[in-house]
């Protein structure tokens, strides 16, 4: 198991300087871009500094190391904060890229994009989705831990940290994510809420008066409330508490409510909506430097602070400690270790091609023998029955329509809060949450997720499907009841425009198999696809 | 004000027979259709009987009476329950239509459809949306009350009752609705939760473990918990309590948690998922009759129970009492009364055509004088400035992007929890909730709602836009930042497929004005449209 990460006693004065370095770097980059969101990075500077310098287990030299902690910036408009963190901790993101913030072709786009910037775990911006992605990541971690860890050999044990803002929590999607995480008891999920009380239209009291801690508690979360988000010691204590609690087998997911001031440090703009989405301007930047007593020119970070931020040595030590543990595991469990390695590498099993050819041929022979038409949803289930044994990483589910989508396969193992070692999840009536969490599972690695609902309700999850396409993630959507032929349920359930609308999403493969064989082939292609999601659009009737 | 509605002392034995009549009628109709959902109607029979016979203020002879209570069946798959209620209470829905349940061309389609069946207030089926529609209805009621009621003359004073199931509450949309209703203090909204613990995939504990009462309380609701949903006296007491509380000026919305057994009465099927969505079968129907000691043949309701259910006399009395109040109001406030009457009739103001022609001509002249291109989002705001004074029922808003969507107009009055007499709402970051609640506002009458967000995020609200199109409601969506030209925000915010995808939705008018004049004309057309929603797709840049 990962040893507690408290490498050095907390030096509050140094940490504050590190936070201010982060703050000014963000403000300078937004100013240079003449575009962007300075308010959230300034407000979250202390939260980010404490988390990234004292709790987040990562290695800047290898941002794909399987057992790294995940960090998700769900309020993605604060992207500059993440870029500054990646740069300062030593990721492959040079200062030059920070100067090119929000410019075409830079590795510092307006919102964080997975695959573009090393260390960015998921693409965020559409609010609420980062949190739901994180639920998928934490779920994947817990499933892999249940499947691969052995007594004395803990090779999967990492946390998923998320920053969320008020906007994320207003989105209904957040509720699907929160409810799932609480129900499933995803104890290694730790969310830091940047509670600044401001959204774009102003002070939120008139449109968002929820008692958010009570809402999370109602959904089975542990809440650390009323933390002063600018008090480095308080944030550190909360994170220490949360990380410690996450080691318990029955841990709940944790929410840390950090009360912050948007635009902290920007004299005259603190705590207002106007600092949310516009650069501070020349005078504002000057005032920030005065307030912080920061004499350094734009984009310059003093060497001592650079050294304090640099996480490469600590990261290398963490990663090599894990590799040592993994080697011991591999010696004791060579088959499991090889399988773990294959799955986290996203490689298909050996002989996949030959075995799937064989499986599909057997299905074809069976269907020819039977000689009668079957619904493609039924063909899909038969294909799953044949293919699932060949692909242990297959992870199925449905948004409460298992018996209609026919997404369960022979021998599937249901995941419940008590039984984590499974490969099938009833997601509940949460189409969007399912889709966004599946994106998180795919991003995490170790599983190939698919999930079902009615074609009409692809509308509910549509933006998450788009995000999978943007991120080029292997996520498979099973959309059954594909035509007005479903009849009696009426127009609310009859898809008309959905098939064509899905086909408009760039990089989404849409399959509408015309018979059982095409359905089987579509499944194989979707499972093999390396650069994006697929939608299988299937009929109810034969 | 409406006098308390407790016309007769509660006769529990009679009410139980009424509930059983309802139950058997629903089971018979589902059986006849060989398709449908018997479980929820059987489980909610007592809740429905108490509400409809003792608390709901309606008049079967005039289901459009403006001050009627609204009833929304958010778990729309229980449609047969609603049809049976409408039939038994005396709406224009003869028994013959119940026999044609779920048949093409019947007035009893698989899910309730507004405009098809008299007394159906909104189309439901896509889960969560009925609840959000109801929030819009309750909001419209409260805004109209603030605008039109005068001391001694209360002409707007009705409740919105909603049935929701577990599925509705799993949908994230429900959170947007709950949070809005709690924040705005919609005290005349009363939700009855059919807590049967079962959804299609089985017992919900493994995927929905929320403490739902605590969640609602966290969002500012009053909760009446742990009501036995099959105990007529308990349900009546809870409803009496809720209705009484709703008369207080500072009332909160109320949730009544009714613990029920799905399929109640269906021997061998009670409390199981298999009774959710399949007919009971010949044996099951026989067993139900035995359990209930119900000797009557299919579709036959004894005369004494028909008489007990018949709500026409009481409805006529209620409605004529309201008309008497309205006449007194009209005598005291003739201008207001005429305006109220016009707006609830959905008629445009007198001289609308001439005045809009004039306003548009003035805009055109101004734009020609200025002689420089402007962004269509800015043209939209100028058009709103010109048109809003002509249309008092205009109700604007934005999903937390007012300054970007430019959806506010000169002289708009912001709605807050403390100030209800307004015409502009900051909806918070709740695109789907905004769209679904706008549908409810339009269905309620008295307002023409429009709301803004970025075009990309039309994905979030897509199914509610579809529902407005299906229901032919005048709802206007303002989608700004219409092209990849928004640039720096990157692909998550850049619409690519959304314009084409919106154009696929049948009966949605999609306008993408090429210049300021086209934008003004599009606004006029959208405001005048009588048979469906419009989307105005607008540019950020000039």
């Amino acid at each position: 198991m990962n040893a507690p990460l408290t490498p050095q006693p907390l030096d509050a004065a140094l940490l504050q300087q590190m936070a201010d370095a982060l703050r000014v770097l963000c403000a300078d980059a937004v100013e240079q871009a003449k575009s962007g969101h300075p308010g959230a990075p300034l407000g979250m500077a202390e939260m980010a500094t404490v988390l990234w310098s004292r709790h987040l287990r990562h290695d800047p030299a290898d941002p794909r190391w399987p057992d790294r902690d995940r960090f998700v910036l769900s309020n993605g408009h604060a992207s500059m904060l993440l870029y500054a963190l990646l740069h300062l901790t030593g990721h492959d993101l040079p200062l030059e890229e920070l100067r090119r913030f929000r410019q075409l072709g830079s590795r510092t786009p307006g919102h964080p994009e997975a695959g573009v910037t090393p260390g960015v775990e998921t693409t965020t911006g559409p609010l609420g989705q980062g949190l739901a992605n994180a639920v998928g990541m934490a779920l994947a971690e817990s499933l892999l831990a249940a499947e691969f860890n052995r007594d004395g050999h803990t090779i999967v044990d990492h946390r998923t940290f998320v920053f969320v803002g008020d906007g994320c929590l207003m989105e209904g999607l957040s509720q699907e994510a929160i409810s799932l995480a609480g129900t499933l008891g995803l104890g290694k999920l730790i969310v830091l809420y940047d509670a600044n009380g401001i959204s774009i239209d102003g002070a939120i009291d008139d449109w968002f008066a929820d008692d958010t801690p009570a809402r999370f508690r109602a959904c089975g979360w542990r809440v650390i409330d009323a933390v002063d988000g600018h008090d480095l010691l308080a944030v550190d204590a909360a994170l220490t508490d949360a990380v410690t609690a996450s080691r318990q087998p029955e841990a709940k997911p944790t929410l840390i409510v950090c009360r912050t001031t948007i635009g902290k440090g920007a004299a005259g703009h603190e705590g207002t909506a106007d600092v949310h989405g516009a650069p501070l301007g020349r005078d504002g930047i000057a005032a920030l430097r005065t307030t912080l007593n920061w004499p350094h020119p734009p984009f310059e970070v003093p060497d001592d602070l650079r050294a304090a931020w640099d996480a490469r040595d600590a990261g290398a030590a963490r990663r090599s400690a894990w590799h040592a543990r993994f080697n011991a595991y591999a010696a004791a469990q060579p088959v499991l270790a090889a399988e773990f390695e294959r799955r986290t590498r996203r490689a298909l099993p050996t002989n996949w091609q030959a075995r799937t050819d064989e499986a599909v041929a057997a299905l074809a022979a069976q269907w020819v023998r039977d000689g009668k038409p079957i619904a493609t949803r039924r063909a899909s289930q038969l294909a799953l029955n044949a293919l699932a044994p060949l692909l242990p990483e297959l992870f199925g589910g449905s948004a409460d329509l298992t018996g209609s989508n026919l997404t369960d396969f022979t021998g599937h193992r249901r995941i419940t809060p008590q039984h984590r070692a499974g490969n099938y999840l009833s997601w509940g009536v949460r189409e969007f949450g399912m889709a966004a969490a599946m994106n998180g599972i795919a991003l995490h690695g170790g599983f190939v997720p698919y999930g079902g609902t009615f074609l009409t309700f692809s509308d509910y999850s549509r933006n998450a499907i788009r995000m999978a396409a943007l991120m080029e993630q292997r996520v498979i959507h099973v959309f059954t009841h594909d035509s007005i032929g479903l009849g009696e349920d009426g127009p609310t359930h009859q898809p008309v425009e959905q098939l064509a609308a899905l086909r408009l999403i760039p990089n989404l493969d849409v399959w509408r198999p015309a018979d059982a064989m095409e359905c089987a082939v579509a499944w194989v292609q979707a499972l093999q696809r390396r650069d994006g999601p697929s939608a299988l659009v299937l009929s109810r009737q034969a």
Side-chain angles (χ1 to χ4, degrees), chain A:
Chain A
M1 192 182 296
N2 283 331
L5 172 74
T6 43
Q8 52 212 357
L10 188 148
D11 177 343
L14 176 63
L15 272 184
Q16 187 61 58
Q17 286 187 60
M18 290 167 69
D20 287 341
L22 189 64
R23 189 168 259 135
V24 177
L25 199 49
C26 291
D28 282 343
V30 171
E31 191 60 26
Q32 167 111 353
K34 301 282 177 226
S35 158
H37 300 77
L42 297 186
M44 297 192 291
E46 280 80 15
M47 292 158 59
T49 301
V50 174
L51 174 63
W52 278 65
S53 71
R54 296 182 57 82
H55 299 276
L56 189 75
R57 298 168 170 282
H58 64 121
D59 180 8
D62 184 1
R64 310 298 300 162
W65 163 41
D67 202 39
R68 71 191 181 278
D69 286 346
R70 268 56 170 184
F71 174 77
V72 174
L73 186 73
S74 191
N75 42 1
H77 53 274
S79 56
M80 193 51 229
L81 180 74
L82 181 51
Y83 301 141
L85 289 163
L86 293 170
H87 167 72
L88 289 170
T89 52
H91 283 74
D92 179 20
L93 193 68
L95 196 60
E96 191 47 42
E97 289 290 339
L98 268 53
R99 291 181 189 272
R100 298 175 61 214
F101 178 49
R102 294 174 80 90
Q103 304 309 304
L104 196 64
S106 77
R107 281 192 277 157
T108 50
H111 291 80
E113 292 179 43
V116 170
T117 316
V120 170
E121 300 281 1
T122 179
T123 300
T124 51
L127 293 173
Q129 286 193 62
L131 178 58
N133 296 159
V135 169
M137 293 175 188
L139 176 60
E141 193 270 355
S142 106
L143 300 177
L144 281 180
E147 185 173 349
F148 286 98
N149 287 346
R150 290 293 179 271
D151 279 348
H153 294 284
T154 301
I155 57 159
V156 182
D157 176 28
H158 55 266
R159 268 120 215 103
T160 302
F161 294 99
V162 192
F163 279 9
V164 302
D166 291 298
C168 289
L169 298 184
M170 289 186 227
E171 289 287 1
L173 175 58
S174 69
Q175 182 61 26
E176 302 185 17
I178 293 164
S179 176
L180 275 168
T183 297
L184 294 171
L186 301 179
K188 292 184 189 162
L189 178 63
I190 299 173
V191 174
L192 290 95
Y193 168 26
D194 175 36
N196 61 34
I198 295 289
S199 62
I200 294 180
D201 274 9
I204 59 176
D205 314 7
D206 286 346
W207 51 87
F208 184 47
D210 295 2
D211 178 345
T212 294
R215 174 182 160 206
F216 274 75
R217 283 192 198 101
C219 297
W221 288 56
R222 178 164 182 258
V223 178
I224 303 176
D225 196 9
V227 174
D228 177 347
H230 301 299
D231 180 337
L232 295 154
L233 290 167
V235 174
D236 187 63
L239 275 167
T240 302
D241 180 352
V243 171
T244 305
S246 76
R247 295 210 174 82
Q248 302 305 314
E250 302 293 307
K252 299 173 173 185
T254 300
L255 176 74
I256 302 175
V257 181
C258 296
R259 310 230 174 252
T260 64
T261 302
I262 192 171
K264 178 77 176 175
H269 297 282
E270 284 188 356
T272 68
D274 65 336
V275 75
H276 169 92
L280 298 179
R282 180 197 291 253
D283 293 349
I285 289 279
L288 177 70
R289 285 188 147 72
T290 305
T291 305
L292 302 180
N293 193 19
W294 191 260
H296 316 288
F299 294 102
E300 195 173 302
V301 178
D303 286 347
D304 59 329
L305 294 181
R306 282 215 169 270
W309 265 114
D310 194 326
R312 284 175 292 188
D313 288 350
R318 270 171 222 140
R319 181 161 57 100
S320 62
W322 180 82
H323 278 292
R325 285 202 305 282
F326 188 79
N327 290 339
Y329 175 76
Q333 304 281 353
V335 177
L336 275 179
E339 181 70 357
F340 179 84
E341 193 277 332
R342 177 187 75 74
R343 280 171 55 177
T344 51
R345 203 161 35 86
R346 294 169 163 74
L348 290 166
T350 334
N351 295 330
W352 162 260
Q353 194 63 55
R355 295 184 68 195
T356 51
D357 284 354
E358 197 179 311
V360 171
L363 280 171
Q366 182 65 43
W367 287 331
V368 167
R369 268 200 305 280
D370 292 350
K372 58 183 179 199
I374 60 173
T376 49
R377 64 171 171 156
R378 176 71 183 135
S380 163
Q381 189 177 41
L382 295 171
L384 282 171
N385 288 344
L387 295 170
L390 314 185
L391 197 67
E393 57 265 50
L394 197 64
F395 175 91
S398 166
D400 204 45
L401 288 169
T402 295
S404 296
N405 300 142
L406 302 182
T407 34
D408 51 343
F409 52 86
T410 309
H412 73 275
R413 303 182 310 281
R414 276 205 182 229
I415 295 157
T416 72
Q418 292 74 38
H419 299 95
R420 211 56 68 89
N423 56 12
Y424 191 88
L425 183 64
S426 285
W427 289 93
V429 191
R430 301 184 182 98
E431 299 81 6
F432 198 4
M434 174 176 75
M438 287 202 296
N439 292 351
I441 293 169
L443 286 159
H444 181 280
F447 296 97
V448 176
Y450 71 88
T453 186
F454 290 153
L455 176 57
T456 304
F457 300 128
S458 62
D459 281 356
Y460 275 55
S461 52
R462 187 171 170 83
N463 200 266
I465 302 169
R466 179 182 211 246
M467 295 300 287
L470 268 179
M471 295 191 281
E472 304 186 350
Q473 292 303 305
R474 181 167 44 174
V475 171
I476 303 170
H477 291 273
V478 178
F479 294 125
T480 69
H481 296 58
D482 69 341
S483 83
I484 59 167
L486 63 85
E488 303 89 344
D489 275 326
T492 59
H493 284 53
Q494 287 170 322
V496 174
E497 70 276 25
Q498 282 74 12
L499 177 67
L502 288 171
R503 288 204 159 123
L504 291 170
I505 298 179
N507 197 37
L508 172 68
D509 277 1
V510 179
W511 297 84
R512 195 193 197 188
D515 65 16
M517 267 314 293
E518 286 188 15
C519 181
V521 170
W523 261 112
V524 173
Q525 294 301 318
L527 293 170
Q528 289 178 179
R529 190 168 182 214
R530 298 301 299 262
D531 59 355
S534 304
L536 275 60
V537 178
L538 306 176
S539 72
R540 184 185 69 154
Q541 59 278 70

